[in-house]
Amino acid sequence: MENVIIIGSGPAAYTAALYTARADLSPLVFEGELSQSLLPGGQLMTTTEVENYPGFPDGITGPELMALFKAQAQRFDARVLPKTVTAADLSQRPFKISCGADTWEARAVIIATGANAKYLGLESEERFKNRGASACATCDGGLPRFRNKPLVVVGGGDTAMEESLFLARFASQVHVVHRRDKFRASKIMGDRVKTHEKITIEWNSVINEVLGNDQDGVTGVRIKDVNSGETRELACSGYFAAIGHKPNTGLFEGILDMTDNGYIIPQGTSSATNIEGVFAAGDVADPVYRQAVTAAGSGCKAAIDCSRWLEAQEGAPPPGAR
């Protein structure tokens, strides 16, 4: 019997592990198995330069930062298993968490499985990730490689508008590529993009290739007019996919309250879910900010909420019990 099981391995998961470990709850963390589709450590594992996480004035790579998160949690005896959770029975307590044929029981569960940015699915996107191809302007837009250079954003919703306006602060020119002749974004956001002197809109267009080379990374994109079928190339030093994120909550569909997009809905201002004893932290419950620092903060919230909930239970476990 575990006091608390934490599912995930990004900033939210390891912060929750740190706080629950220091509360003598001896948390068990399932970080997931290394595979082609999963890098334990969350989205930061695919980020080469992190310049906006407090405490690192000279910057740090994503993998280095996550190694420090993990090591700090383990210093206080958080236990980390490289296993992927395949089933979760949250219908009654104790909760049952399974990895294949193996099952663990827990008094409380913190879900911090993160989210994945959506890309178009082009092979060239994958090739140039972290070398000019990104899905987070807020994370990467201020990097030296993008400053005073032409950049491309693909998308037509509010996210694409926000990303384009943010990038326009640094870029020499921003091209917004959208497959239709009008945006899906709110009118006020669309109007800001349309009237911005540094933003050009490529209407009725799709990107069919991200161009570049091993030395320079992204050097341009090839776009196709959806009406005429004509293709042309746009020179740029950065390509930003702004077509949304998908939270990794499929395991909990039909069990936890979620938005139409799959984000877990917390109860009030807490991290508690609609099931007592189950908490959510990080990008699984954050469709707005999606930053490492906000994920870490929500991991702290979930740990404190979880610790207080366990203390309030009749026959709460003694410190360190499991």
Side-chain angles (χ1 to χ4, degrees), residues 147-178:
R147 288 180 177 268
N148 301 311
K149 304 288 180 59
L151 304 175
V152 165
V153 174
V154 59
D158 279 337
T159 297
M161 304 301 101
E162 293 167 2
E163 302 270 90
S164 301
L165 292 167
F166 180 82
L167 291 171
R169 304 178 190 178
F170 311 102
S172 60
Q173 184 75 24
V174 177
H175 295 269
V176 179
V177 179
H178 184 48

Side-chain angles (χ1 to χ4, degrees), residues 21 28 40 145 178 194 239 279:
L28 177 61
R145 70 169 294 128
H178 184 48
K194 292 175 186 176
Y239 161 85
F279 305 85

Side-chain angles (χ1 to χ4, degrees), residues 36-255:
Q36 290 184 339
S37 59
L38 174 67
L39 283 175
Q43 294 184 79
L44 283 180
M45 296 300 289
T46 61
T47 303
T48 52
E49 299 170 87
V50 179
E51 295 187 330
N52 57 2
Y53 198 89
F56 298 92
D58 297 321
I60 188 172
T61 70
E64 287 174 332
L65 182 59
M66 291 319 305
L68 292 173
F69 267 74
K70 181 177 179 179
Q72 189 169 2
Q74 289 179 313
R75 174 191 167 196
F76 294 98
D77 296 326
R79 293 161 297 134
V80 180
L81 292 182
K83 292 180 177 291
T84 300
V85 173
T86 56
D89 182 357
L90 307 179
S91 60
Q92 61 183 354
R93 297 198 296 269
F95 304 118
K96 294 180 175 59
I97 304 299
S98 299
C99 301
D102 299 321
T103 298
W104 289 258
E105 293 187 339
R107 295 182 172 91
V109 172
I110 296 176
I111 299 167
T113 46
N116 290 323
K118 295 180 182 178
Y119 283 87
L120 296 178
L122 302 173
E123 184 279 330
S124 51
E125 284 178 317
E126 189 68 29
R127 177 186 173 192
F128 292 112
K129 280 183 182 177
N130 300 317
R131 291 189 296 160
S134 172
C136 184
T138 308
C139 310
D140 301 330
L143 293 175
R145 70 169 294 128
F146 299 128
R147 288 180 177 268
N148 301 311
K149 304 288 180 59
L151 304 175
V152 165
V153 174
V154 59
D158 279 337
T159 297
M161 304 301 101
E162 293 167 2
E163 302 270 90
S164 301
L165 292 167
F166 180 82
L167 291 171
R169 304 178 190 178
F170 311 102
S172 60
Q173 184 75 24
V174 177
H175 295 269
V176 179
V177 179
H178 184 48
R179 66 182 303 118
R180 300 180 178 86
D181 59 1
K182 61 181 179 181
F183 290 134
R184 292 180 289 102
S186 59
K187 185 177 186 302
I188 188 171
M189 293 299 294
D191 287 345
R192 288 176 183 172
V193 167
K194 292 175 186 176
T195 57
H196 199 291
E197 61 182 6
K198 291 173 68 175
I199 298 178
T200 301
I201 305 169
E202 310 294 344
W203 297 111
N204 299 306
S205 298
V206 295
I207 293 176
N208 60 16
E209 195 72 35
V210 180
L211 308 173
N213 57 62
D214 291 339
Q215 179 178 341
D216 303 314
V218 171
T219 60
V221 296
R222 182 181 300 116
I223 66 174
K224 176 183 176 181
D225 188 296
V226 297
N227 294 322
S228 67
E230 293 181 359
T231 62
R232 59 191 175 94
E233 295 182 3
L234 287 176
C236 66
S237 294
Y239 161 85
F240 290 82
I243 55 178
H245 288 71
K246 179 177 175 56
N248 299 318
T249 55
L251 199 63
F252 310 102
E253 287 181 5
I255 302 173

Side-chain angles (χ1 to χ4, degrees), residues 262-308:
Y263 289 93
I264 296 173
I265 301 173
Q267 305 295 295
T269 59
S270 77
S271 64
T273 70
N274 59 296
I275 295 181
E276 190 176 356
V278 179
F279 305 85
D283 286 9
V284 292
D286 177 15
V288 179
Y289 300 104
R290 299 190 300 267
Q291 299 296 302
V293 68
T294 53
S298 71
C300 166
K301 283 180 57 177
I304 292 174
D305 289 342
C306 177
S307 298
R308 289 174 176 172

Side-chain angles (χ1 to χ4, degrees), residues 257-265 287:
D257 289 347
M258 299 183 190
T259 67
D260 292 340
N261 294 327
Y263 289 93
I264 296 173
I265 301 173

